[in-house]
Each structure stands twice: as structure tokens, then as C-alpha cells.
Amino acid sequence: MNLQLVSLAPRLDVSSQAFFRFRQVGKKMLITNYEGFWALLTPEEFERFATGTVQPATPLYQRLSDNNFLKATYDTRKAADRLWQRRQALTQGPNLHLLIVTLRCNETCVYCHASRAGMDATQTDMSRETAERSIDLILQSPNPNLTIEFQGGEPLVAWDVVKHAIAYANEKNKTAGKLLEFTMVTNLSLMDDEKLEYLLANRVQLCTSVDGPEHLHDGQRKLPGASAHQKATYWIRRINQAYADRGLDPTLYRVEALLTTTRDSLPLWKEIVDTYVDLGCRALFLRPVDPFGWAEKTARKVEYPREDFLEYYRQAVDYMVELNLKGVQVLERYAAIFLSKFFGNDPNFLDLRTPAGAGIGCLAFNYDGKVFTCDEGRMLHEMGDSSFLIGNVVGSSFKDIVSHPTVRSMVLASNLDGQPDCVNCTYNPYCGTQSTHNHKKFGSVFGRARESTVCAVHKGIQDFLFERLSAEDPKVLDIFQKWSTNRPRTHFLQPSA
């Protein structure tokens, strides 16, 4: 228990406070409640709150009342509305569907999670029939909003399958009537003018990887006979310009790029941010390395203590805030997701919700027709662990897949209110746990949060953000509000919708 609360124990008065959790953040005490409202209190304010001596008609009383921390003024409807906003996605069914059209890839990445196959391994290409059966199942999801994401390997290797899947999905959706979007995760090295024109004409949103400056990127992502960095950055600029030429808002329609943070990335936080800004990217996602695929085998080269990651993260995000203060628009995705949750606009990011999205918000369709709860479950299968295999496009109904015992187990395991280390955590309303990561690291989908590197990163990022909020700098608050604003990219909706 917090030492301050221990010292207050003889004077505690629980008759006035509504339910709350608490955590010291910097020089202030952060309190949150079940529905996700929060307040940052000075030590003196927290003492008055804990001892029930906050006087009515004071600014502190009003602030606590506005955020549902007082029994006398607790607003049940306000609490229900906030909770519904956070949980409504649970009523809709899977919206993200990953189509692994091939395992073949022309790049060799030191941390590869996808268990890539060589370019001659044509047996790992998805057949047209498997693509069609996958899409038939996808369109059975009760969710009105569906995203089909083409992954690999490198999906441009299986170009004919991608085009067939897009045409087939759009034709079938004339009957299904879903709000349908396509995205593709590609290294861009096989892009050409013909492919780009097709993807633009068919409104396929593109996402790629940029690990930072050229020497870092090329050191981690090997492209035989060429620079992977030069290929990716050339096409990023071309695609961004193509969006602008079509009259699309350049602050909204850009190539999405993300990076995987390795040990070599840690001292280069400024160079990484500058690389993204120079490319015209408005966002970057500072993700730590995962223990899947080749990253497990290369851990001695790529891994690091998560304390080092959090220091790198703070430096990079502080630098991004400085750039925003100078008029340069760039945000960090982890921060944007958490800030959206803090400010009551939950973006339904599948790994940061409770229960998590695996199996109930996301499904992964492998090249061979096997269906998994999520991409990480597919990765584990390629590593020899099929714990998250929940069906096959041949022989499994949609109901069989989403009601699979593994899916139900993951829902229970990722419910933070049932996790011993999470139920009383101050960040419970904003966080999430990853059952596949827990299974890989601890041998159980429940895991042990206090020993989890995922938990350490989530807590560290939220501590940092609330520390910045506690300073009450209006300019920083304005930047954070902008980062948490969700602007839908309606251009990517398919006309068949």
C-alpha cells in the first residue's frame, strides 16, 4: 500500500468516496474509477479526499464530483455511458481480419515475427479458393465494419491472390452490405507503377516499416542487392504525393509506417523521429520487440531491459512534443491510444482493451486455410505451438470459430477485472493484456502481470503521460488533445459498401 495512505489510515473515511484506485505519479496522486474518469491530486488534496474532509462548494469538491469520485453526487447514468463507450465493441464481433496470402518474402529481418519463407517456397502461397473461403467466413461477422488486412511474408509476392481477393470481397459485399476496408502491410520493395495504380484505384490503405535512418533500417532489414530503406522511402514519398494529387487531405492520408525497436535503436531516438518527419509521416509507433518468430533466436542481438526502452520512449516523445510546439505535426501511436482512453474516446485498439480482441475482435486466416485467434497465434503455430489454432476455412463454420474453447479462455484470461495483478491497478480502465504473449513467456494465457514486459511497458508509458499531464501545461495539453482526436479515413471505404 502507498506509504501516504498508510500514514492516513487512522483518519480514513470511506463513507464519502465512491470507488477509486490510486497511484503516485511524480509529485501527485493519480486516482481513477471503474468507468475510467481520473483526477491528479496534490498530496494535500489527496489527504482531504481520503479523510472525507473536502468541503462542498470548493473547486476540489466540484472536480471530484464532476469525475464521479463522491458518493453524494455519483451519477449512475454518466458512469454507464462512459463504460458503454469503452465496451461497446464487445457486442459487435470481429472487425479486423488478417489474410496471410503468402509466407514468401524477399527481405530478411533480424526480428522477423512472420516466420518468412524463401522466395522459392511457392507452397506457402494462398490459393484463390482458400482466399474465397476465408472471405465468405469474414463477411459472416456480425460487425458492420470490416477490415481485411493483407499480410505475409510479403503480400506483393502473391499479387494475383491479392487482386482476386479484393474483387471477390467487393462482389460478395454487394449482398453482405458491410462497411468494408482493405489494408496491406508491405515492405514496398516489390512495388511498381502498375501495382500502385491498382491499389490506389481500389482504395487499399498501405502500411510499411521504417526502422529509422538508413544505416539502422538496412542493418535490420536485409534486401539482397539493394537498400531496403531507399526502396521503402522512395515509395512512401510517391504514395503520399499520389494522395495529394487526388485532392485528399495530406494531414490525414499518408502511408502508415511503424518500427520495431531493437537494442541498436535505443540511442537513436532523435534520428528515428527525424527520419519520420523528413518523410512527411505524421505518426510513428514505438513498439518494443516481441518474443515471436526469429526475435526469439536473435534475442542476444535485439533484446534489452524494458527500463531502457521506457527511457528511449520518454526521450522520443518529449522530442515530438517539442517539435509540435514548433509547428511540426507528428505523434506517437501508443501515446495517442492511451490519451484517447484517458479523454473518454476509446479507439478500440485490440491489444489494449478488456477483454482483448483476439478471437472476438480479430481473426487471422493463414495461407493454408487454418484460422487463428490473432497474428501472434499464427506466429506461434509457425514456431511449432498450435495452441491458438481455432478452425479451418474448410469444415469450420463462423460459429465454430468464434465460439471455440480457446477463444472463450482468452476472453476470461484478458478480462482485467479477473486478473489478480490488474483488478486493483490504477490503469485498469485503460490497459489490456495479451494472452499469446503470456502463453509464450509464462506457459499460461493468464500470465503474471508483475513479471510481464508488456505490463512494464504499458505502466511506464501511462506514468510518463500522466506526469506530463500533471504539469498542467496548456500547450502540451492542447497537443495531447489533438493526438487523441480520431478522424475517420472515409476515402478507404469500399464503394460496394
Side-chain angles (χ1 to χ4, degrees):
M1 181 178 288
N2 182 275
L3 293 177
Q4 183 178 354
L5 200 60
V6 171
S7 67
L8 295 174
R11 295 183 287 136
L12 284 179
D13 176 9
V14 297
S15 63
S16 63
Q17 311 103 350
F19 174 83
F20 73 99
R21 302 177 176 101
F22 65 95
R23 178 181 181 86
Q24 187 166 346
V25 176
K27 296 180 180 180
K28 291 189 176 180
M29 192 69 75
L30 171 67
I31 59 173
T32 66
N33 53 25
Y34 185 74
E35 57 266 34
F37 293 109
W38 55 274
L40 285 158
L41 307 179
T42 65
E44 187 271 334
E45 289 173 333
F46 183 72
E47 178 175 348
R48 283 193 280 153
F49 173 61
T51 57
T53 57
V54 180
Q55 295 299 312
T58 61
L60 177 59
Y61 187 95
Q62 189 62 50
R63 184 151 55 104
L64 294 168
S65 177
D66 288 346
N67 290 292
N68 262 8
F69 285 109
L70 299 176
K71 288 181 179 178
T73 60
Y74 192 83
D75 188 333
T76 305
R77 171 48 56 189
K78 184 176 182 178
D81 288 346
R82 181 69 175 259
L83 188 60
W84 171 250
Q85 199 281 331
R86 286 174 45 209
R87 300 289 178 88
Q88 61 180 316
L90 299 179
T91 69
Q92 297 177 335
N95 69 295
L96 176 61
H97 301 269
L98 312 177
L99 221 59
I100 317 303
V101 293
T102 183
L103 291 187
R104 292 194 288 158
C105 186
N106 60 328
E107 288 190 5
T108 303
C109 303
V110 67
Y111 48 69
C112 179
H113 299 159
S115 299
R116 68 173 289 279
M119 289 294 284
D120 58 347
T122 55
Q123 72 276 10
T124 69
D125 290 354
M126 179 178 281
S127 69
R128 291 189 175 196
E129 181 183 14
T130 299
E132 290 178 3
R133 289 178 179 271
S134 300
I135 290 165
D136 289 342
L137 286 169
I138 290 168
L139 292 175
Q140 292 179 43
S141 173
N143 200 308
N145 304 286
L146 299 180
T147 297
I148 296 176
E149 182 172 291
F150 298 105
Q151 286 198 14
E154 169 50 52
L156 291 180
V157 171
W159 179 238
D160 288 343
V161 179
V162 170
K163 290 194 296 181
H164 181 73
I166 290 172
Y168 184 83
N170 272 327
E171 182 62 30
K172 288 292 184 178
N173 195 41
K174 291 177 182 178
T175 302
K178 302 293 185 179
L179 295 175
L180 180 62
E181 296 183 51
F182 298 116
T183 64
M184 177 185 286
V185 179
T186 169
N187 61 37
L188 292 175
S189 63
L190 297 176
M191 186 65 73
D192 57 37
D193 290 335
E194 181 181 353
K195 292 186 180 72
L196 177 57
E197 185 56 38
Y198 177 90
L199 293 167
L200 292 171
N202 286 273
R203 305 186 181 197
V204 180
Q205 184 175 0
L206 296 169
C207 178
T208 192
S209 295
V210 176
D211 282 350
E214 185 170 335
H215 70 276
L216 176 63
H217 185 97
D218 287 346
Q220 299 183 164
R221 305 178 63 88
K222 304 292 186 181
L223 178 61
S227 164
H229 185 272
Q230 290 178 17
K231 285 280 189 178
T233 55
Y234 170 80
W235 285 107
I236 288 173
R237 297 184 194 277
R238 281 282 309 274
I239 296 164
N240 288 343
Q241 185 59 51
Y243 288 150
D245 292 344
R246 283 163 169 74
L248 297 173
D249 182 352
T251 66
L252 186 60
Y253 292 95
R254 319 285 294 184
V255 175
E256 287 291 313
L258 44 81
L259 64 98
T260 298
T261 301
T262 65
R263 186 185 305 165
D264 290 341
S265 310
L266 298 178
L268 300 177
W269 52 269
K270 184 177 183 297
E271 291 87 343
I272 289 170
V273 174
D274 286 341
T275 297
Y276 273 73
V277 171
D278 180 63
L279 282 170
C281 295
R282 303 277 175 167
L284 62 158
F285 205 152
L286 298 176
R287 306 176 306 158
V289 70
D290 285 325
F292 302 105
W294 290 4
E296 181 182 46
K297 299 176 182 178
T298 58
R300 290 185 179 181
K301 175 177 176 59
V302 302
E303 266 289 4
Y304 41 81
R306 287 306 181 261
E307 294 85 355
D308 294 349
F309 172 83
L310 289 170
E311 179 60 26
Y312 150 92
Y313 182 89
R314 293 186 196 99
Q315 290 174 312
V317 177
D318 276 339
Y319 179 52
M320 280 185 263
V321 170
E322 289 179 17
L323 290 175
N324 276 264
L325 291 171
K326 296 175 182 178
V328 178
Q329 294 184 29
V330 60
L331 63 83
E332 198 283 317
R333 287 289 182 202
Y334 256 135
I337 293 165
F338 280 122
L339 289 166
S340 296
K341 288 170 169 282
F342 299 167
F343 298 147
N345 183 29
D346 198 308
N348 188 35
F349 186 73
L350 297 179
D351 288 342
L352 284 171
R353 74 179 206 188
T354 176
I360 59 173
C362 170
L363 293 171
F365 296 82
N366 208 22
Y367 69 94
D368 55 3
K370 292 183 175 68
V371 185
F372 298 88
T373 58
C374 53
D375 202 28
E376 292 80 5
R378 175 189 69 88
M379 296 171 189
L380 286 172
H381 170 75
E382 298 296 341
M383 297 169 68
D385 181 349
S386 299
S387 298
F388 300 95
L389 172 62
I390 56 175
N392 197 299
V393 299
V394 178
S396 298
S397 68
F398 183 81
K399 182 178 179 180
D400 291 337
I401 292 168
V402 296
S403 62
H404 193 279
T406 298
V407 174
R408 286 181 278 167
S409 297
M410 294 176 78
V411 169
L412 290 172
S414 61
N415 178 9
L416 299 189
D417 293 332
Q419 280 271 13
D421 287 335
C422 302
V423 64
N424 291 319
C425 179
T426 311
Y427 296 136
N428 177 293
Y430 319 118
C431 211
T433 184
Q434 299 172 21
S435 298
T436 46
H437 189 279
N438 291 337
H439 173 81
K440 179 71 174 64
K441 298 294 289 186
F442 303 109
S444 163
V445 289
F446 286 88
R448 293 189 293 276
R450 69 189 65 189
E451 300 173 37
S452 168
T453 56
V454 173
C455 176
V457 168
H458 291 172
K459 278 185 177 177
I461 291 174
Q462 291 177 89
D463 279 344
F464 165 73
L465 293 173
F466 273 115
E467 285 173 15
R468 292 302 307 254
L469 288 169
S470 71
E472 299 182 347
D473 185 328
K475 292 182 179 179
V476 173
L477 180 58
D478 181 61
I479 290 168
F480 282 176
Q481 290 281 4
K482 290 177 180 176
W483 286 12
S484 69
T485 301
N486 180 28
R487 299 168 62 196
R489 301 180 184 188
T490 53
H491 171 76
F492 291 124
L493 283 173
Q494 292 301 300
S496 58

